[in-house]
Amino acid sequence: GAVVSQHPSRVICKSGTSVKIECRSLDFQATTMFWYRQFPKKSLMLMATSNEGSKATYEQGVEKDKFLINHASLTLSTLTVTSAHPEDSSFYICSAPSYHSYNEQFFGPGTRLTVL
Amino acid sequence: QQQVKQSPQSLIVQKGGISIINCAYENTAFDYFPWYQQFPGKGPALLIAIRPDVSEKKEGRFTISFNKSAKQFSLHIMDSQPGDSATYFCAASDGGGFKTIFGAGTRLFVKA
């Protein structure tokens, strides 16, 4: 199956700093990628849809100025958590649909963000 | 409605038993219903998926049953093994935007 990678897998930062998380589709092109947030023992909450070459679409309640998304190429989307605060600590997961397998989403391994 | 409701929240099954997890949806535009397995600290991995034009799909020990009229679908894990202990999420998406909506998750523990 298709592979999606994320980098870094873990990051610890100080409050007030910005953190960038990368999501790459390794063996397929993805014009669309999705970013999810997952709190401990909770479900995945869709944050935004990342669109190559255009602005991301954010879900209701997600601050677009807080969570900056850039889909720079057909294989790379980045999520930048700006001015991070402890409440931003979470597990961030990206996914990309494979157009070879209709609707099927391939998920990255996730990034654990801890804001001190 | 975009919600996907999942039950139970947690499940304990003896080794060799059958694990059953249920989900219900409201949006009739959904046309793809995957189940994901997630281990702690890892991203979710696709386990099995079904489209609404079939009522059942089986892959190894995993079976999805789908009831279109009731807007319900369920995952059955036959001969459950300790290695199956994980969190399982049902999900639904529509073909238009590929946006996937997840259920709340079920933490399965299989006792040896």
Side-chain angles (χ1 to χ4, degrees):
Chain A
V3 178
V4 175
S5 70
Q6 279 184 243
H7 178 79
S9 58
R10 257 175 211 278
V11 57
I12 301 172
C13 69
K14 292 182 179 180
S15 187
T17 61
S18 294
V19 174
K20 180 184 285 188
I21 302 169
E22 293 185 349
C23 176
R24 292 182 187 274
S25 56
L26 297 186
D27 51 359
F28 65 102
Q29 294 182 332
T31 55
T32 302
M33 291 182 175
F34 299 94
W35 286 97
Y36 294 84
R37 182 174 183 177
Q38 187 178 32
F39 290 105
K41 300 181 182 180
K42 296 294 183 183
S43 187
L44 284 76
M45 182 192 78
L46 180 64
M47 298 175 65
T49 303
S50 174
N51 304 299
E52 189 269 335
S54 64
K55 290 183 179 180
T57 305
Y58 291 83
E59 296 299 303
Q60 192 172 15
V62 177
E63 299 175 63
K64 56 185 68 175
D65 294 331
K66 174 73 168 175
F67 300 99
L68 300 180
I69 292 173
N70 183 25
H71 200 133
S73 74
L74 288 172
T75 59
L76 173 65
S77 174
T78 60
L79 169 68
T80 300
V81 183
T82 62
S83 186
H85 290 282
E87 56 266 30
D88 298 325
S89 298
S90 191
F91 194 49
Y92 292 89
I93 307 171
C94 70
S95 74
S98 168
Y99 289 86
H100 298 293
S101 303
Y102 181 66
N103 280 54
E104 185 173 354
Q105 295 281 340
F106 296 98
F107 284 82
T111 296
R112 172 74 60 195
L113 170 64
T114 303
V115 184
L116 302 176
Chain B
Q1 291 289 335
Q2 292 289 316
Q3 199 173 9
V4 177
K5 295 182 179 179
Q6 183 173 347
S7 63
Q9 189 174 12
S10 61
L11 183 60
I12 300 174
V13 174
Q14 287 290 136
K15 179 182 175 182
I18 302 173
S19 303
I20 302 174
I21 305 171
N22 301 299
C23 282
Y25 65 98
E26 296 179 5
N27 187 348
T28 54
F30 289 144
D31 63 355
Y32 179 72
F33 302 89
W35 285 88
Y36 290 91
Q37 180 189 57
Q38 186 180 32
F39 293 103
K42 305 293 183 183
L46 179 67
L47 198 59
I48 186 172
I50 198 168
R51 301 195 189 284
D53 53 345
V54 297
S55 60
E56 186 175 282
K57 183 175 181 180
K58 183 176 181 179
E59 289 184 1
R61 296 186 294 112
F62 303 94
T63 300
I64 299 179
S65 297
F66 187 84
N67 186 329
K68 187 174 181 178
S69 60
K71 291 187 282 186
Q72 296 174 345
F73 58 111
S74 61
L75 175 69
H76 291 62
I77 305 175
M78 312 299 286
D79 187 26
S80 298
Q81 299 297 312
D84 296 331
S85 298
T87 299
Y88 292 81
F89 294 97
C90 63
S93 70
D94 65 68
F98 302 96
K99 186 187 293 189
T100 301
I101 305 300
F102 283 80
T106 296
R107 299 184 75 192
L108 171 65
F109 179 68
V110 181
K111 295 169 70 173

